[in-house]
Amino acid sequence: MKYLIAILPIFIMLTLAPALMAVPNNAYAQNKAIQSISQIQGATQLGICLSGIDTFISCNNLNLQNQINTGDNALAQDGGNGKYSGNSAVQAIGQEQSSDQVAVCISAEGTFLSCNNLNLQNQINTGSNLALQNGGNGKYSGNSAVQAIGQEQSSSQRALVLSGGDIDLSGNNLNVQNQINTGSNALAQDGGNSKGSGNSAAQGIGQSQSSSQSAGCVSGGDVSQSCNNLNIQNQINTGSNALAQDGGNGKGSGNSAAQGIGQSQSSSQRSQCVAGGSLDNSCNNLSFQNQVNTGSNAAAQSGGNGKGSGNSAAQGIGQSQSSSQRSQCVSGGDVSDSCNNLNIQNQINTGSNALAQDGGNGKGSGNSAAQGIGQSQSSSQRSQCVAGGSLDNSCNNLSFQNQVNTGSNAAAQSGGNSKGSGNSAAQGIGQSQSSSQNAQCVSGEDAIVSCNNVEFQNQVNSGSNALAQFGLDNNGNQGGARHGGNSEGSGNSAAQGIGQSQDSSQRSSVFSAGDSFLSGNNLNLQNQNNEGDNLAAQSSEGNGDSTENTGAQNLAQTQGSGDDDEEGDDDQDVKNSNSNEPSGNNNNHNNNNHHDDDDDDDEDDDKNGEGNNNQDQNNSVVE
């Protein structure tokens, strides 16, 4: 079951994405419509400065992009008479922004306030996709529709500064990306008459942001406040997917639906500083990522008449954040406030998946549903400092990850009539956080407050999985003596899972010819709190073979930083010839808290709670 939790949201999104790109399957429909609103902005900036003396306020790149859409796509289709007299529709609202910035400065002496890249991107959409489809009369006279709202931003920034003298306030990359969507997808479909006159729909809302930053500074003198990378990404979605489907008459006249809401943010930062003198406040990487979703997926399906006229639905809400940071500092003098990595990731979801399915009439006219809510955060940080002098507040890695979910999966299924017309459902809520930190310091003198790894991970879930599955009695009514369906293979099956996973890996190494003070420490704090429940009600006593109910429920909490022993104390090689100040300590705190209320009516269910605390912390301090 724990694998279902991780795979279900991903599976839903992977199945939805091709559907959004595909041409509707009703290729011979009488009515065809394509509606789109598109905004595209692209920018490429290149600055190169070669100077025999100084470079002063030169070769900087500034890009500002803004997109606002308030327009809607609205459509009504009424099918005709005869074969292939149904409807097909594609509606899309898209906003796209891209930026590529390159700055190169080469100076025989100093470089001041030059070769900086600044990118600001903003997208706001309040427009919606609205469609109404009424199927035609005749074979294959059903409806198909694809609705999509997408926002995409990408930024690439590269800065390189080579100077025989000092480098000051140069080679910095700043990226700010913002996306806000309040638009929704709304669709109503009424199936046609005859074989293959059912409905199919795909609805998607997606927000994507990506940033790549690279900065390099090489100086014969000092480097100050240069070659830093700052990335700020924000996504807010309040739009929803809403769908109503009424199946047609005839074989294969049921309904299928795929609904998805996705938010994705990725950041890659690389900084490298080499100075013959000292390094101060340079080659730091800072990344801030925020995602908020209040939108929901809502669908109602009523099956058709005839063999294979049931319902199928997939609903998914996903939030994904990834950050990769690398910093390297090499100095002939001191290194101060440099080569630090800071990552802050926040995800909040209050959206839910809601589904109602009423099975059709005929063999194989039951219901199937997959619902998933997933939140994923990953962070990788590497820092390395080598100084001929002392190290002060440098090469530290700090990561803060927070996930909050209050959204739920709710589904009601009423089985169809005839063989194989039962119900099946899979529901999953998953939260995943992973962090990897590695810090290395080599100093010809002292190492002070350097090469520390600090990780905070927090997960809170109050969302639940709620499911009701009912068959029909021999008279086609709910609540009769036999509720598992009316024939062989018409029972119910359910799988429900709630999972929280945290993983942290920390490595620190400090080599100092002098003192080591508050350096080479690993601190990891992990917290998980779940108040969500798995609730299922399945009617029993079907009429026929294989009409029983089966259910599986799982609740799992896993915290891993993979320790070799339970207390989290690794062996340390500490040689203090000059100082006994606190360095090379491992601190790990894990907390699992889950709340269970089991109020289900399953004949066969299994509910498990797990809480595993591990850690993987390594440090070495040699003085």
Side-chain angles (χ1 to χ4, degrees), residues 349 351-352 373 404-409 429 431 460-466 497-498 529-534 555:
N349 176 61
S352 297
I373 297 174
V404 178
N405 176 61
T406 60
S408 298
N409 293 314
I429 297 174
Q431 293 176 314
V460 178
N461 176 61
S462 58
S464 297
N465 293 315
I498 297 175
N529 184 25
N530 176 60
E531 296 182 356
D533 300 305
N534 291 316
L555 188 152

Side-chain angles (χ1 to χ4, degrees), residues 214-420:
S214 178
C217 286
V218 179
S219 172
D222 299 333
V223 177
S224 176
Q225 301 181 55
S226 298
C227 282
N228 297 295
N229 293 315
L230 173 59
N231 176 58
I232 301 175
Q233 294 173 317
N234 182 55
Q235 292 175 327
I236 298 177
N237 176 61
T238 60
S240 297
N241 292 315
L243 173 65
Q245 291 177 316
D246 187 8
N249 294 310
K251 182 178 178 181
S253 57
N255 305 302
S256 65
Q259 295 177 314
I261 296 174
Q263 293 176 313
S264 174
Q265 292 172 327
S266 66
S267 173
S268 175
Q269 296 175 314
R270 300 290 184 270
S271 60
Q272 186 178 55
C273 287
V274 179
S278 62
L279 286 171
D280 179 41
N281 195 25
S282 298
C283 277
N284 297 296
N285 295 315
L286 293 86
S287 178
F288 301 89
Q289 295 175 319
N290 182 56
Q291 292 175 327
V292 178
N293 176 62
T294 61
S296 298
N297 293 314
Q301 295 176 314
S302 178
N305 294 310
K307 182 179 178 181
S309 58
N311 305 302
S312 65
Q315 296 176 316
I317 297 174
Q319 293 176 313
S320 174
Q321 292 172 327
S322 66
S323 174
S324 175
Q325 296 173 314
R326 300 288 185 271
S327 60
Q328 185 180 54
C329 288
V330 179
S331 172
D334 298 335
V335 176
S336 177
D337 299 320
S338 298
C339 277
N340 297 296
N341 294 316
L342 171 62
N343 176 57
I344 299 177
Q345 295 173 318
N346 183 54
Q347 292 175 327
I348 298 177
N349 176 61
T350 61
S352 297
N353 292 315
L355 176 65
Q357 293 177 316
D358 186 8
N361 295 311
K363 182 178 179 181
S365 57
N367 305 302
S368 66
Q371 295 177 314
I373 297 174
Q375 293 177 313
S376 173
Q377 292 172 328
S378 66
S379 173
S380 175
Q381 296 174 314
R382 299 288 184 272
S383 60
Q384 185 181 57
C385 288
V386 179
S390 62
L391 288 171
D392 180 29
N393 192 30
S394 298
C395 276
N396 297 297
N397 295 314
L398 291 85
S399 178
F400 301 87
Q401 295 175 318
N402 182 57
Q403 292 174 327
V404 178
N405 176 61
T406 60
S408 298
N409 293 314
Q413 294 176 316
S414 177
N417 294 313
S418 193
K419 181 177 180 180

Side-chain angles (χ1 to χ4, degrees), residues 460-482:
V460 178
N461 176 61
S462 58
S464 297
N465 293 315
L467 174 65
Q469 292 176 318
F470 300 97
L472 300 178
D473 64 13
N474 290 326
N475 296 319
N477 300 314
Q478 293 183 7
R482 292 179 171 82

Side-chain angles (χ1 to χ4, degrees), residues 9 38 75 272 304 335 499 550 583 589:
S38 177
L75 174 67
Q272 186 178 55
V335 176
T550 61
S583 297
H589 175 71

Side-chain angles (χ1 to χ4, degrees), residues 155 204 206 469 475 561 564 619:
S155 172
Q469 292 176 318
N475 296 319
S561 19
D564 293 335
N619 56 36

Side-chain angles (χ1 to χ4, degrees), residues 29 91 95-96 115 177 204 241 262 266 277 285 337 374 377 450 464 494 499-500 517 565 590-591 603-604 613 620:
Q91 294 178 314
Q95 293 176 314
E96 181 181 352
C115 279
Q177 295 173 318
N241 292 315
S266 66
N285 295 315
D337 299 320
Q377 292 172 328
S450 297
S464 297
Q500 293 176 313
F517 177 76
D565 57 67
N590 294 312
N591 180 54
E603 285 190 340
D604 180 14
N613 295 333
S620 176

